Amino acid sequence: MFASTTLSPAVQRVSTVVYVLLQKFLMAAGLVFVFVLLGLLSGYLNLSDSLKSAAPVSEAAAVAATEEPESPSPEATPSALNPRMRGALDYVSRRYRVSTDALQPIFATAQTVGRELHLDPLLIIAVIGVESGFNPFSQSVFGAQGLMQVVPRFHLDKLPDEAAPAAFLDPVTNVQVGARVLKESISRNGGLEDGLQQFGGASNDPERRYSLKVLAEKQRLEQATQRLRTT
């Protein structure tokens, strides 16, 4: 048989107190551990979200850094005009007291359609100066309209398909149509002066005053561009 041992009441009380204290200590330590773990987990999640939200910005910045900026449309900026046309624009702005902003699309259209028709754009500009003084709403008693004084009833076929007859008062459309009428007149009459005379409705004028007036204006435009190049 084994001999059983019994603890004294005093020792039992001390053991109970120690056990209770140890139990409370372990509980407190466990709570501290849980709070620390939750804090670390929360910090990790916040950091992860921050990184995720920053990632698209960084990616967009990287793409933007590698991509070349889009070039503005050549027809949309004053720099689209060549030096010759820019010099003429400055001269016209001062002579006819029209803002360069209003003149720019007219000059850009003259430059484009002149290249297309193999027609000197300064000749187109000179015709505009003589015909309307750069007033897009000019209208004659004979029904000629716009910058180049085109008669709508004779040239409806030259309008874009979607354009209405009132488009003759649109500066860009008027220059596009008027330049084609001018080109036809020159080709049909076998030369510049005779073509200008017909365009101006002065074919029967032996002194060719209309063509001389247009060519004199073109000469002034040329001189203005030359002055710009030498300054």
Side-chain angles (χ1 to χ4, degrees):
M1 281 180 79
F2 294 101
S4 59
T5 59
T6 58
L7 297 175
S8 64
V11 174
Q12 288 181 355
R13 286 195 297 271
V14 171
S15 298
T16 300
V17 172
V18 170
Y19 176 77
V20 171
L21 291 175
L22 180 61
Q23 196 175 34
K24 290 183 177 181
F25 173 79
L26 291 175
M27 289 177 63
L31 289 174
V32 170
F33 177 78
V34 170
F35 283 126
V36 170
L37 183 60
L38 289 175
L40 292 174
L41 183 59
S42 177
Y44 171 78
L45 292 175
N46 290 338
L47 178 61
S48 177
D49 291 341
S50 298
L51 291 174
K52 288 179 181 179
S53 63
V57 177
S58 300
E59 184 179 354
V63 172
T66 56
E67 290 182 347
E68 295 182 0
E70 292 185 2
S71 300
S73 171
E75 296 299 332
T77 60
S79 60
L81 297 178
N82 60 41
R84 187 167 175 253
M85 293 296 283
R86 287 202 300 270
L89 185 147
D90 181 67
Y91 163 80
V92 168
S93 177
R94 288 183 284 103
R95 175 175 171 81
Y96 294 93
R97 298 183 180 181
V98 182
S99 73
T100 56
D101 289 339
L103 290 172
Q104 199 280 328
I106 298 171
F107 274 67
T109 303
Q111 180 174 278
T112 300
V113 74
R115 187 185 304 117
E116 177 187 341
L117 299 176
H118 303 288
L119 197 63
D120 189 342
L122 287 189
L123 178 65
I124 299 173
I125 296 299
V127 169
I128 294 173
V130 171
E131 288 288 346
S132 66
F134 292 88
N135 176 9
F137 304 110
S138 177
Q139 185 162 340
S140 74
V141 295
F142 300 104
Q145 295 180 352
L147 292 172
M148 296 188 73
Q149 290 294 279
V150 179
V151 181
R153 65 180 181 273
F154 296 145
H155 303 291
L156 290 173
D157 60 310
K158 295 179 178 63
L159 282 177
D161 294 336
E162 67 280 4
F168 282 102
L169 292 176
D170 173 72
V172 170
T173 301
N174 191 278
V175 173
Q176 290 172 337
V177 174
R180 283 169 170 78
V181 176
L182 177 60
K183 178 69 175 182
E184 285 184 0
S185 296
I186 294 171
S187 299
R188 187 180 296 117
N189 289 275
L192 177 59
E193 291 187 14
D194 288 337
L196 285 171
Q197 287 298 125
Q198 185 190 51
F199 182 88
S203 297
N204 296 326
D205 180 11
E207 297 181 7
R208 298 184 175 184
R209 285 170 292 185
Y210 179 83
S211 62
L212 291 176
K213 191 174 182 180
V214 171
L215 293 176
E217 178 66 5
K218 182 175 179 292
Q219 181 63 30
R220 286 190 286 268
L221 291 167
E222 293 282 8
Q223 292 172 351
T225 64
Q226 292 173 3
R227 286 195 298 269
L228 180 65
R229 292 173 186 175
T230 59
T231 55

